[in-house]
Amino acid sequence: MTEKLDLIVRNGTLVIPGVGQVKADVGIAGGGIAVIGEGLTQSAAEIYDAAGLTVLPGIFDPHIHIGNEQSFESEAETETRAAILGGVTTVGIFLRSLEDSYFQHLPAFCRAMNERSYVDSVFHPQIFTEQQIEEIPGYAEQFGIRSFKFYMSGIPGIVKSVNDDVLLHGFRTVASLGQDAVACVHCETGALIDRARNELKLRKPEGTLADWEHAHPAVAEALAIQTALYLAKIAGAHLYVVHLSSRDGLEVVRAGRRAGMRFTVETTTPYLGINSSDPNGFLAKMVPHVRTQEHQVALWDGILEGAINTVGTDNTSRALATKKPEAGLHGSRPGLPALGTHLPALLHYGRMRGVPLEILIERATRSPARVYGIYPRKGTIAVGSDADLVVVDLDQERTVRAHDLQGMSDFSPFEGKRLRGWPVATIKGGKIVARDGKIIAEPSGRYLPRKRESAQQFEWFTK
Ligand SMILES: [Zn+2]
């Protein structure tokens, strides 16, 4: 082969989901992976020497929110800057429109992600109204959207919950798009949460981060997963449980899998890395809650055994001024930035618990890419895939400082923690976009419309 390449990533150890660790060079041309092999001899405009380093597929964080603090347009730039520096090259964004039709907003959302984002993106609109449900086929047809989210429990001041009838109607509509379409659900039983939160306010007007768990009892998560599984089965919909946080929830997941139910389960790196006695306190306040060590151990077991299929962040960036940790348990706001720490936290805590690197990377790349219909374009290192790669120094140790993460937030829930395993370069669309903690290229992110996939192409998780 004499074709001239744009870039060769040489001498690295590749982690290829489903294949394993392979020592090979990656040759890149026209934004895609053109050739993989030992000692590539083609000429290239640029060489990146990854000797002693590990090369991963670009990380796909399937669960982020942007535009909750500043405008969607502004956060499309600032939060994806933190993402790309941290090795995340594609994100799934939960869009929010409490009342309006998404037709009014989708053109602007697409434009922001095409013009200002450093990473590629897919959208998951959050569904609140009957009109939005009726328009689901239109969102699929006109904007290539194949995943939608429903809240069984609202978050006061942010989103409202939907009832079981809306859930069932919504699931049926999503299922009508085809087997590959996904119904994402925030699984907490709203009535139990409302009561628990009110009781906690009376009982503990001050409270600590650990007390927050009483406002979001694990039983509410477990019960909601059971309900969602049942409704999804009736509707024939692919249920995707977002941000599983508890051991109790995991037990319901396991029972569902034993019963042969087909669904997907996600957890987040804040749950995997931070527990409710963390010294960073209310900086780690989120919904659902970071829980006790016991729940955390269960989540890692779920990752290892495959009951938990994907890992995201639930990134909802805030600034300290609105997070207000000083306002205490009930006054501080939920939501935290987590994109910049996603991969280092996964590598650090995962390896600490003995989870093989291949499993960690599978859950953060190929697995979500398959669920959301962008595999094998994303989520692997293969000829023909997009050249989205992250070069990692597995031995590099750094202390997390919000400033270094370069998002909009002036805090990190991982602030002050020493993590081992950091990206040293991120390649997106064949270009080195971030290197040694600096952004070195302009934003080149694209919104990715999705097409219907045939049932054969789509494989369910059965574990
Ligand atoms: Zn979320």
Side-chain angles (χ1 to χ4, degrees):
M1 206 195 284
T2 53
E3 157 196 24
K4 167 130 179 170
L5 298 169
D6 300 327
L7 172 66
I8 296 179
V9 180
R10 265 203 202 292
N11 306 319
T13 301
L14 317 181
V15 179
I16 307 176
V19 176
Q21 299 194 26
V22 182
K23 265 200 165 307
D25 299 346
V26 182
I28 292 165
I33 296 176
V35 55
I36 300 172
E38 266 183 283
L40 295 184
T41 54
Q42 291 91 331
S43 63
E46 193 175 3
I47 303 283
Y48 185 99
D49 186 4
L53 301 170
T54 303
V55 182
L56 313 175
I59 303 299
F60 172 28
D61 178 350
H63 187 154
I64 78 162
H65 303 260
I66 61 172
N68 275 24
E69 179 88 6
Q70 296 178 353
S71 69
F72 189 95
E73 286 70 21
S74 159
E75 288 189 22
E77 182 172 338
T78 58
E79 304 323 285
T80 64
R81 192 169 63 204
I84 201 94
L85 267 177
V88 175
T89 51
T90 306
V91 295
I93 304 175
F94 286 98
L95 303 176
R96 185 179 55 162
S97 173
L98 295 177
E99 300 288 344
D100 301 341
S101 161
Y102 280 98
F103 285 126
Q104 293 181 39
H105 300 290
L106 278 163
F109 289 147
C110 291
R111 200 177 320 116
M113 296 316 290
N114 283 329
E115 290 176 359
R116 302 188 68 166
S117 171
Y118 286 92
V119 304
D120 290 346
S121 49
V122 296
F123 289 163
H124 326 292
Q126 304 182 143
I127 300 298
F128 301 102
T129 70
E130 286 292 331
Q131 185 198 357
Q132 291 171 342
I133 292 178
E134 300 310 324
E135 290 175 352
I136 281 176
Y139 302 151
E141 186 66 30
Q142 293 180 41
F143 290 91
I145 293 173
R146 307 201 61 77
S147 42
F148 302 87
K149 182 177 181 187
F150 303 88
Y151 281 84
M152 295 174 76
S153 167
I155 304 173
I158 301 176
V159 292
K160 55 193 180 182
S161 57
V162 298
N163 291 327
D164 291 350
D165 63 319
V166 177
L167 213 55
L168 182 57
H169 183 202
F171 284 1
R172 285 189 163 130
T173 310
V174 172
S176 76
L177 300 180
Q179 279 234 319
D180 64 309
V182 183
C184 306
V185 181
H186 176 132
C187 290
E188 286 187 295
T189 299
L192 291 183
I193 299 291
D194 292 345
R195 186 189 180 103
R197 194 189 281 122
N198 291 335
E199 279 178 3
L200 181 67
K201 268 186 191 158
L202 292 173
R203 201 158 52 82
K204 298 245 176 149
E206 297 296 319
T208 63
L209 181 69
D211 292 324
W212 184 232
E213 182 149 355
H214 301 297
H216 289 266
V219 61
E221 179 170 80
L223 178 61
I225 294 172
Q226 216 149 32
T227 303
L229 273 171
Y230 183 69
L231 294 175
K233 187 180 176 186
I234 291 174
H238 176 181
L239 171 69
Y240 180 99
V241 176
V242 300
H243 56 45
L244 182 81
S245 67
S246 69
R247 188 198 52 198
D248 312 55
L250 179 63
E251 279 164 10
V252 175
V253 166
R254 285 173 174 147
R257 291 263 157 72
R258 280 196 298 272
M261 299 175 93
R262 296 167 155 192
F263 59 107
T264 302
V265 178
E266 169 200 272
T267 192
T268 73
T269 41
Y271 297 152
L272 293 168
I274 301 171
N275 65 54
S276 54
S277 53
D278 194 273
N280 281 333
F282 301 129
L283 291 186
K285 182 177 168 183
M286 63 189 285
V287 172
H289 192 17
V290 295
R291 297 184 193 272
T292 59
Q293 182 86 27
E294 204 190 345
H295 289 287
Q296 211 171 42
V297 168
L299 294 179
W300 277 115
D301 288 345
I303 295 262
L304 189 61
E305 74 192 44
I308 297 176
N309 314 105
T310 68
V311 185
T313 60
D314 205 0
N315 184 93
T316 305
S317 295
R318 299 209 176 283
L320 274 178
T322 48
K323 179 77 179 167
K324 292 192 189 303
E326 71 285 356
L329 178 62
H330 302 288
S332 59
R333 298 198 76 194
L336 44 80
L339 273 162
T341 47
H342 182 47
L343 177 57
L346 188 70
L347 292 172
H348 177 87
Y349 297 105
R351 289 190 300 152
M352 208 169 77
R353 294 188 187 267
V355 182
L357 185 60
E358 291 87 342
I359 290 185
L360 297 173
I361 299 314
E362 154 75 16
R363 306 286 185 262
T365 59
R366 184 176 71 160
S367 178
R370 279 169 60 197
V371 174
Y372 290 114
I374 54 173
Y375 176 82
R377 179 176 177 187
K378 306 289 186 185
T380 190
I381 305 176
V383 171
S385 295
D386 285 0
D388 296 352
L389 303 169
V390 50
V391 184
V392 168
D393 181 348
L394 288 174
D395 295 319
Q396 188 181 109
E397 287 192 30
R398 275 172 51 191
T399 301
V400 176
R401 300 284 173 223
H403 175 79
D404 300 334
L405 302 175
Q406 297 185 37
M408 160 275 282
S409 292
D410 48 359
F411 74 96
S412 163
F414 290 92
E415 193 78 39
K417 295 189 195 305
R418 202 157 174 80
L419 302 182
R420 177 164 164 259
W422 286 83
V424 291
T426 310
I427 295 160
K428 189 190 154 294
K431 277 209 194 87
I432 303 176
V433 180
R435 187 167 196 166
D436 301 323
K438 289 191 185 67
I439 300 276
I440 58 170
E442 293 299 309
S444 64
R446 284 287 169 273
Y447 167 67
L448 308 174
R450 290 168 279 162
K451 284 204 278 292
R452 180 179 178 150
E453 290 187 41
S454 73
Q456 273 122 335
Q457 247 175 310
F458 182 78
E459 297 169 59
W460 289 90
F461 293 108
T462 49
K463 241 185 163 167

